[in-house]
Amino acid sequence: MTTTKTIQSALISVFDKTGLEPIVQKLHSQNVTIYSTGGTEEYIKKLGIPVVPVEDVTTYPSILGGRVKTLHPKVFGGILNRQDNPSDVEEMKVFEIPQIDLVIVDLYPFEKTVASGASEADIIEKIDIGGISLIRAAAKNFKDTVIVASVNEYNYLLDLISTQNGVTTLEQRRHLATKAFHVSSHYDSAIFNYFNTDETIYKESIENGQVLRYGENPHQKGFFFGDFDKMFTKLHGKELSYNNLLDVDAAVNLILEFKENNPTFAILKHNNACGLATRSSMKQAYLDALAGDPTSAFGGVLIANGKIDVETALEINQLFCEVVIATSYDDKAISILQEKKNRIILVQHDVELPAKQIRTCLNGLLIQDKNNITDNKEGLKTVTLTTPTNQEIEDLLFASKICKNTKSNTIVFAKNGQLIASGTGQTSRVDALKQAIEKANSFGFDLNGAVMASDAFFPFPDCVEIAHHAGITAVIQPGGSIKDELSINYCNENKIAMVFTGTRHFKH
């Protein structure tokens, strides 16, 4: 039996009429019988094209305010019948069911209605019943039926019926069925997530994945699923890689901590800040961020919490960097930064980020709430006899924000609104501390009067002792160890200020 099918009849019922006219015109020119309902029927009539109302087939009008139009055996029999099944062929004759070879249908705009802030009554009415049933029926019977479930497939369909004179192959029908099942599953996921309050059930459907050059390494495939263009306007540069996107994500989350601060500039490498400073001008913030670790800054991702002006751009242009991100740029600053052909320049838009973090784990997923707690002055508890000065409090909170966004185990040193050094991703907190001291010394920073942040508590006093000998005068940590008193006692004996936040900031 041949697997090619010629379209001789079509059921068309769509909410969005965009792009429909040339398809209808082409079907009409090929003598295809067109069935339709409601607004689509009127649309086709206005084009001067004959159309058979579905109610003429079913002998039932559209009822219940349009909730029931196509839900009828004569419609679904026409779609679901198996043309190579003698019993189905006989029943089609007995019940006078017309054959339907092509179904073009789209769904009520449920997601758009939810996003618009509409009332629940309006949202409920945008849960499509007939449309979703037609899609599933036609897609299930792809061996005999063509299904087009989205305006995105109109050009594909028009090309098929134009170049193949209304004939389709099994492979083409299966391709369209796959697209249709994506439409239906995505739609159902959106509806479920609107109603769902059970956090132990997780469903997500993201359309339009972007193929990346490769993954973390050239031998790995890589994809990005998300609306990058909603978050950024890309002004210049090469295609972003998998690793670029990870660094951009880390940069965005870090700079969000400083959104309301004076001009702040951060430089990141491998998802961790290697430089960050808050100053009275963006240029000075950049220069002091760069001074934090000019070696690691090479090939890094740069991000500002405000506009990048000409003076800042001239300084940046002297550094090889992969990505520059800011909320805006002076026109001339853009021209300067574009001098490097591959440098990626992004304008960041104010977009709400996901409330959940998701990663693969073993044979499943790990999902958690995003760490949205930022340590603040009101939440600090001074646990030592020595109270931190106002400047130390500012630096402690500054360091804590960086610490929260750095791989554990981590120690961060800060002084006068500048990241002095950090120890990142170490298996021992002592090792992280020693790494930070070594980095600070290698770049000529004076740690006397600097402050220290830790992402978790100190189980022993060794860290505060080592930090004290390096010149640290104030410490911020979550507290909570059964041996907290050991660290507190050492600080008291050596006139070091220490504050507890009560919040751990592990980042694995």
Side-chain angles (χ1 to χ4, degrees):
M1 183 176 178
T2 179
T3 60
T4 60
K5 300 286 181 179
T6 301
I7 296 171
Q8 296 178 313
S9 59
L11 171 62
I12 306 175
S13 180
V14 297
F15 184 86
D16 183 354
K17 316 299 189 293
T18 305
L20 185 62
E21 180 178 352
I23 293 174
V24 174
Q25 296 283 11
K26 178 56 69 173
L27 292 172
H28 175 58
S29 72
Q30 294 174 345
N31 298 314
V32 173
T33 301
I34 299 175
Y35 301 93
S36 192
T37 64
T40 308
E41 178 190 337
E42 291 301 316
Y43 174 82
I44 295 172
K45 284 180 179 178
K46 288 180 181 178
L47 295 176
I49 294 173
V51 57
V52 180
V54 166
E55 61 192 57
D56 287 358
V57 176
T58 65
T59 70
Y60 269 89
S62 172
I63 62 174
L64 305 181
R67 280 189 165 196
V68 180
K69 295 190 286 286
T70 58
L71 296 169
H72 193 280
K74 283 198 172 183
V75 174
F76 282 87
I79 295 169
L80 281 164
N81 73 92
R82 294 158 291 186
Q83 295 178 19
D84 60 352
N85 183 301
S87 177
D88 285 9
V89 172
E90 181 61 26
E91 287 188 54
M92 292 283 285
K93 292 176 182 177
V94 170
F95 296 108
E96 298 180 339
I97 299 173
Q99 179 69 44
I100 298 175
D101 303 313
L102 166 66
V103 175
I104 303 176
V105 63
D106 67 359
L107 300 172
Y108 294 151
F110 179 83
E111 288 179 282
K112 288 183 179 178
T113 305
V114 172
S116 73
S119 68
E120 178 150 288
D122 288 339
I123 290 170
I124 297 301
E125 287 308 310
K126 290 299 183 291
I127 298 177
D128 207 310
I129 304 300
I132 202 78
S133 301
L134 291 169
I135 288 172
R136 290 179 64 85
K140 174 178 179 176
N141 201 35
F142 69 89
K143 285 180 66 178
D144 295 311
T145 310
V146 179
I147 174 63
V148 174
S150 167
V151 67
N152 296 329
E153 307 308 320
Y154 282 8
N155 287 337
Y156 180 79
L157 173 66
L158 185 59
D159 182 64
L160 283 187
I161 60 178
S162 299
T163 60
Q164 298 174 189
N165 198 31
V167 176
T168 62
T169 67
L170 179 62
E171 182 182 4
Q172 290 163 345
R173 295 192 297 277
R174 187 185 187 95
H175 169 76
L176 286 167
T178 302
K179 295 284 189 180
F181 281 126
H182 163 64
V183 169
S184 64
S185 64
H186 180 83
Y187 194 76
D188 284 339
S189 292
I191 295 170
F192 170 78
N193 286 328
Y194 172 75
F195 284 99
N196 183 42
T197 57
D198 186 347
E199 292 188 320
T200 66
I201 302 174
Y202 176 76
K203 294 183 189 294
E204 186 69 79
S205 176
I206 304 175
E207 299 182 294
N208 303 321
Q210 177 184 346
V211 179
L212 303 175
R213 295 198 304 272
Y214 51 79
E216 203 162 7
N217 298 289
H219 62 276
Q220 296 169 269
K221 290 182 179 179
F223 305 87
F224 172 70
F225 292 90
D227 192 349
F228 185 84
D229 293 337
K230 185 176 181 180
M231 279 204 67
F232 301 101
T233 297
K234 183 182 174 187
L235 302 179
H236 181 73
K238 63 183 179 180
E239 178 186 343
L240 278 91
S241 69
Y242 182 97
N243 292 334
N244 286 154
L245 289 169
L246 285 175
D247 284 332
V248 168
D249 176 71
V252 166
N253 283 289
L254 174 59
I255 209 67
L256 188 62
E257 307 279 354
F258 299 89
K259 184 177 180 180
E260 305 302 327
N261 288 57
N262 287 333
T264 300
F265 209 105
I267 304 173
L268 291 91
K269 196 71 172 287
H270 298 297
N271 307 160
N272 294 314
C274 58
L276 195 150
T278 298
R279 293 292 182 260
S280 59
S281 72
M282 196 60 76
K283 174 185 174 181
Q284 197 57 51
Y286 166 72
L287 290 173
D288 288 349
L290 178 63
D293 187 345
T295 301
S296 297
F298 183 85
V301 169
L302 281 57
I303 189 165
N305 72 344
K307 177 185 283 189
I308 290 181
D309 53 26
V310 173
E311 292 76 15
T312 309
L314 287 169
E315 296 293 343
I316 293 172
N317 209 34
Q318 299 177 49
L319 174 72
F320 169 72
C321 57
E322 292 274 354
V323 185
V324 180
I325 311 167
T327 57
S328 62
Y329 301 79
D330 285 340
D331 289 342
K332 191 173 179 182
I334 295 172
S335 298
I336 293 167
L337 294 173
Q338 286 176 333
E339 291 175 7
K340 300 293 190 294
K341 183 178 72 171
N342 290 328
R343 179 184 286 150
I344 299 164
I345 305 173
L346 302 176
V347 178
Q348 182 181 348
H349 307 306
D350 193 5
V351 174
E352 185 177 355
L353 297 174
K356 302 284 187 183
Q357 291 180 314
I358 303 162
R359 66 197 299 182
T360 59
C361 181
L362 302 177
N363 60 347
L365 300 175
L366 280 175
I367 301 175
Q368 67 171 351
D369 294 335
K370 193 170 183 180
N371 183 359
N372 284 324
I373 294 179
T374 298
D375 297 328
N376 56 50
K377 186 175 181 179
E378 292 71 27
L380 299 183
K381 178 184 178 182
T382 301
V383 294
T384 52
L385 298 175
T386 302
T387 301
T389 65
N390 289 335
Q391 181 60 56
E392 285 174 335
I393 290 174
E394 286 187 22
D395 284 339
L396 288 168
L397 294 173
F398 176 91
S400 172
K401 292 176 180 179
I402 300 171
C403 197
K404 168 187 167 182
N405 289 276
T406 304
K407 291 286 186 182
S408 299
N409 286 315
T410 185
I411 293 290
V412 170
F413 293 150
K415 187 176 182 181
N416 298 324
Q418 181 182 20
L419 171 60
I420 300 300
S422 60
T424 64
Q426 298 302 305
T427 53
S428 157
R429 196 159 301 280
V430 172
D431 286 345
L433 173 57
K434 289 179 178 178
Q435 182 191 51
I437 293 171
E438 182 180 348
K439 289 195 75 172
N441 290 336
S442 69
F443 292 114
F445 286 108
D446 181 5
L447 288 176
N448 288 298
V451 305
M452 176 174 74
S454 173
D455 59 341
F457 61 61
F458 301 121
F460 304 103
D462 47 2
C463 280
V464 289
E465 181 179 356
I466 295 168
H468 168 237
H469 290 306
I472 298 299
T473 57
V475 178
I476 186 170
Q477 59 134 319
S481 169
I482 59 174
K483 296 183 178 180
D484 275 342
E485 288 301 320
L486 297 178
S487 296
I488 293 171
N489 290 339
Y490 182 89
C491 288
N492 284 335
E493 292 166 5
N494 294 278
K495 295 183 172 56
I496 300 171
M498 184 158 65
V499 297
F500 283 4
T501 64
T503 303
R504 190 182 72 184
H505 291 297
F506 271 161
K507 187 170 184 285
H508 282 71

